């Protein structure tokens, strides 16, 4: 969809000027339209995700309101620029969720009769293009997660319009193939075990985190289950964390870089964030717990280098130093929801819903259910930005070329990289044979390509580098 005239929306935008409580974090910009439709009298916004276009080196936010999906340019972080608004398939939605894969964003909602939507982001900042909208995979989905390495989309807490995929109108979790990113295909349902009394161990997966086809699944009051999902016909539970101190509604989890530790939240008041050592996956061991204030509710927590970046509802965004997993301590915070008085948590689940710390700039983006979209920055030198410093460099020569090109690739970390040649429409015209882990020199004969401008894409599980070359 081409950019539309959004002047009315801009005119309705009111700067966020209330006094803020902050420690070692600075507000760069805030965007809100308080006249948008509210659910439960205060809730306008829900989740968000960041997107980085390595070709243009621009940063974006995709965020959800009760009725629509908003696309912002935050390349200049002090100036949030609204680019587009797309109807989110259904109105009056409290919960939406988003995942980025390549240059697409996948969008779901879990109220009313919804559908999955896929938008192509490669034309930003000029426009976004909806390339898929369908409810055959689910009419409601609470949340999603994409593991790029296996090209799988995980859909949590699915409801169907009809009795499908195993004679049921609901599924704890579905696994979807993204071999064709614009045409998701159902692969399998999660196999939920029964307890000794014959009851299912859990009904829903609320959210999940997947790495190397191992799923860390937050199952509400049933706890956290760890699945080996390599063979979808032979799914195996290989660990679980249940009946732990401070247990409640197990909400979501995130692994550290080496997978030795897991951090998760329970979406209940006065229940802290937990860190467990899972180096022996069959015998998880509690390392520590931490929370912003008594009666607060931690929501989403992300492991970022040596830090935990957490959305704490009424208390806003908190950053904890967890370099020593046994002794976390407060590093920074920013209160996005000053409407609550000190120790007043009577408006349950108000305030900061989503947070995302993985943009290359190091800026942190957050969504407050009432106060809108925030771009924040931790004080200089505060964060150990090990995640940001991972990078890929490439030298393509000769450029232009009429027959042979050499692609010299330099990385400072190991991953499963692959190389693709794309046309300017983003279509793959050639996928080069090898998959490599780190530094690599590849030579390719391109005499079969038509003359013109092409893009070399070097793709890892976290980073994508794109560079242009001429065939002449």
């Amino acid at each position: 969809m081409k950019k539309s005239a959004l002047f009315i929306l801009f005119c309705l935008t009111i700067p966020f000027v209330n006094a803020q409580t902050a420690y070692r974090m600075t507000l760069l910009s805030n965007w809100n339209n308080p006249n948008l439709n509210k659910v439960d009298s205060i809730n306008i916004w829900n989740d968000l995700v960041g997107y980085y276009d390595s070709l243009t080196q621009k940063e974006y936010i995709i965020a959800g309101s009760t009725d629509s999906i908003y696309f912002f340019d935050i390349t200049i972080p002090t100036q949030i620029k609204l680019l587009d608004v797309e109807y989110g398939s259904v109105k009056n939605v409290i919960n939406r969720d988003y995942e980025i894969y390549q240059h697409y964003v996948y969008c779901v909602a879990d109220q009313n009769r919804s559908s999955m939507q896929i938008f192509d982001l490669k034309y930003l900042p000029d426009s976004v293009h909806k390339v898929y909208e369908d409810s055959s995979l689910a009419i409601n989905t609470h949340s999603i997660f994409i593991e790029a390495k296996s090209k799988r989309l995980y859909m949590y807490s699915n409801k169907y319009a009809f009795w499908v995929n195993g004679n049921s109108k609901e599924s704890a979790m579905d696994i979807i193939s993204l071999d064709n990113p614009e045409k998701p295909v159902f692969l399998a349902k999660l196999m939920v075990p029964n307890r000794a009394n014959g009851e299912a161990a859990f009904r829903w997966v609320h959210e999940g985190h997947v790495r190397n086809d191992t799923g860390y699944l937050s199952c509400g009051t049933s706890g956290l289950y760890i699945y080996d999902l390599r063979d979808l016909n032979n799914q195996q539970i290989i660990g679980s964390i249940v009946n732990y101190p401070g247990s409640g509604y197990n909400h979501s989890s995130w692994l550290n870089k080496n997978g030795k530790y897991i951090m998760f939240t329970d979406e209940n008041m006065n229940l802290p964030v937990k860190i467990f050592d899972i180096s022996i996956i069959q015998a998880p061991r509690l390392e520590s717990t931490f929370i912003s204030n008594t009666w607060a509710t931690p929501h989403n927590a992300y492991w970022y280098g040596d830090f935990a970046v957490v959305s704490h509802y009424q208390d806003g965004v908190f950053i904890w130093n967890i370099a020593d997993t046994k002794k976390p301590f407060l590093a920074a915070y920013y209160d996005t929801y000053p409407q609550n008085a000190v120790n007043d948590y009577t408006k349950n689940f108000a305030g900061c819903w989503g947070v995302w710390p993985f943009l290359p700039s190091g800026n942190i983006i957050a969504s407050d259910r009432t106060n809108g979209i925030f771009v924040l920055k931790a004080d200089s030198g505060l964060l150990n930005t090990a995640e940001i410093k991972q990078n890929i460099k490439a030298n393509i020569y000769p450029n232009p070329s009429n027959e042979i090109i050499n692609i010299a690739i330099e990385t400072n970390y190991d991953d499963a990289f692959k190389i693709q040649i794309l046309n300017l429409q983003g279509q793959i015209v050639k996928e080069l044979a090898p998959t490599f882990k780190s530094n690599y020199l590849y030579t390719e004969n391109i005499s079969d390509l038509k003359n013109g401008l092409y893009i070399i894409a070097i793709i890892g599980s976290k980073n994508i580098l794109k560079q242009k070359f001429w065939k002449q």
Side-chain angles (χ1 to χ4, degrees), residues 399-445:
N399 188 8
S401 173
N402 61 4
E403 183 176 6
I404 299 294
I405 57 169
N406 300 288
I407 309 167
I409 300 161
E410 180 183 343
T411 76
N412 65 351
Y413 66 107
D414 288 347
D415 200 351
F417 295 102
K418 63 182 179 181
I419 307 171
Q420 294 175 345
I421 298 179
L422 314 175
N423 60 23
L424 292 186
Q425 288 72 48
Q427 299 166 324
I428 301 171
V429 297
K430 210 166 194 178
E431 186 149 15
L432 309 190
T435 297
F436 59 96
K437 288 185 64 177
S438 186
N439 296 349
Y440 198 79
L441 176 61
Y442 189 79
T443 299
E444 178 69 13
N445 190 314

Side-chain angles (χ1 to χ4, degrees), residues 323-344:
D324 183 345
T325 55
K326 294 182 183 297
K327 297 179 180 179
F329 63 88
L330 179 63
Y333 64 82
Y334 188 92
D335 185 3
T336 65
Y337 189 73
Q339 287 93 328
N340 65 309
V342 176
N343 294 324
D344 175 14

Side-chain angles (χ1 to χ4, degrees), residues 75-92:
T75 305
I76 302 175
T78 56
Q79 301 173 21
I80 299 179
K81 183 178 181 182
L82 178 62
L83 300 176
D84 196 7
V85 179
E86 296 283 341
Y87 176 51
S89 178
V90 65
K91 294 183 178 180
N92 298 320

Side-chain angles (χ1 to χ4, degrees), residues 305-359:
D306 290 332
F307 296 85
V309 181
V310 186
S311 57
H312 271 274
Y313 276 120
Q314 297 96 328
D315 285 344
V317 176
F318 271 64
I319 301 177
W320 304 86
N321 187 311
I322 54 174
D324 183 345
T325 55
K326 294 182 183 297
K327 297 179 180 179
F329 63 88
L330 179 63
Y333 64 82
Y334 188 92
D335 185 3
T336 65
Y337 189 73
Q339 287 93 328
N340 65 309
V342 176
N343 294 324
D344 175 14
Y345 295 94
T346 53
K347 289 184 178 179
N348 204 12
F349 306 123
C352 185
W353 175 293
V355 65
W356 192 249
F358 300 115
L359 289 169

Side-chain angles (χ1 to χ4, degrees), residues 128-314:
V128 296
H129 294 228
K130 184 166 65 178
V131 296
Y132 178 95
E133 181 166 4
D134 196 273
S135 59
S136 60
L137 294 174
I139 59 170
N140 292 154
T141 304
H142 179 76
S143 58
I144 55 178
F145 186 89
I146 295 175
E147 187 183 26
K149 183 178 178 180
S150 61
K151 302 180 182 179
R152 287 181 181 176
L153 165 69
Y154 294 86
M155 302 178 69
Y156 305 116
S157 297
N158 268 4
K159 295 181 181 178
Y160 310 123
F162 306 103
W163 291 70
V164 295
N165 297 338
N167 297 323
S168 175
K169 292 186 74 173
E170 62 185 38
S171 172
M173 182 184 88
D174 287 335
I175 303 105
I176 309 299
S177 169
L178 296 183
D179 281 340
N180 182 335
E182 297 185 8
K183 294 181 179 179
V185 175
F186 175 83
L187 290 176
K189 292 179 62 169
L190 183 71
M191 298 176 184
V192 180
N194 289 330
R195 296 192 176 101
N197 62 5
E199 294 181 354
F202 53 87
R203 181 179 177 185
W204 303 112
V205 177
H206 187 80
E207 291 194 20
H209 185 74
V210 183
R211 186 182 294 178
N212 297 325
D213 294 325
T214 301
Y216 303 83
L217 309 181
S218 292
C219 302
T221 55
S222 299
L224 188 146
Y225 287 80
I226 305 172
Y227 269 77
D228 181 345
L229 298 170
R230 289 174 295 178
D231 181 355
L232 295 179
N233 294 316
N234 186 30
Q235 303 172 25
Q236 300 288 330
I237 293 179
I238 55 176
S240 63
I241 305 175
V242 297
N243 300 322
Y244 47 88
S247 64
Y249 192 88
N250 197 290
H251 176 268
S252 58
S253 67
W254 206 263
L255 293 173
N256 76 327
K257 185 176 180 180
N258 63 21
K260 181 180 178 180
Y261 298 99
I262 190 167
M263 173 174 59
F264 60 85
T265 62
D266 286 77
E267 196 179 13
N268 302 86
M269 295 176 67
N270 199 29
L271 294 184
V273 185
K274 292 90 178 170
I275 297 178
F276 272 76
D277 183 334
I278 56 170
S279 52
I280 303 174
I281 208 162
Q282 297 82 5
R285 185 179 70 250
L286 179 64
E287 291 281 287
S288 60
T289 66
F290 50 95
I291 193 169
S292 57
N293 286 293
T294 303
W295 301 115
T297 307
H299 190 213
N300 294 303
Y302 296 97
W303 208 304
Y304 179 77
D306 290 332
F307 296 85
V309 181
V310 186
S311 57
H312 271 274
Y313 276 120
Q314 297 96 328

Side-chain angles (χ1 to χ4, degrees), residues 349-382:
F349 306 123
C352 185
W353 175 293
V355 65
W356 192 249
F358 300 115
L359 289 169
S361 64
N363 296 328
I364 295 170
I365 58 175
S367 57
D368 186 286
R369 304 189 78 182
T370 300
N371 297 323
I373 308 305
F374 290 76
V375 181
L376 305 166
K377 189 172 186 63
D379 283 2
S380 178
L382 174 66

Side-chain angles (χ1 to χ4, degrees), residues 48-65:
L48 85 172
V49 71
Y51 169 64
Y52 174 67
D53 186 334
S54 61
L55 191 62
T56 62
Q57 297 184 336
K58 288 182 173 290
E59 294 186 346
Y60 301 95
I61 293 174
I62 297 95
S65 73

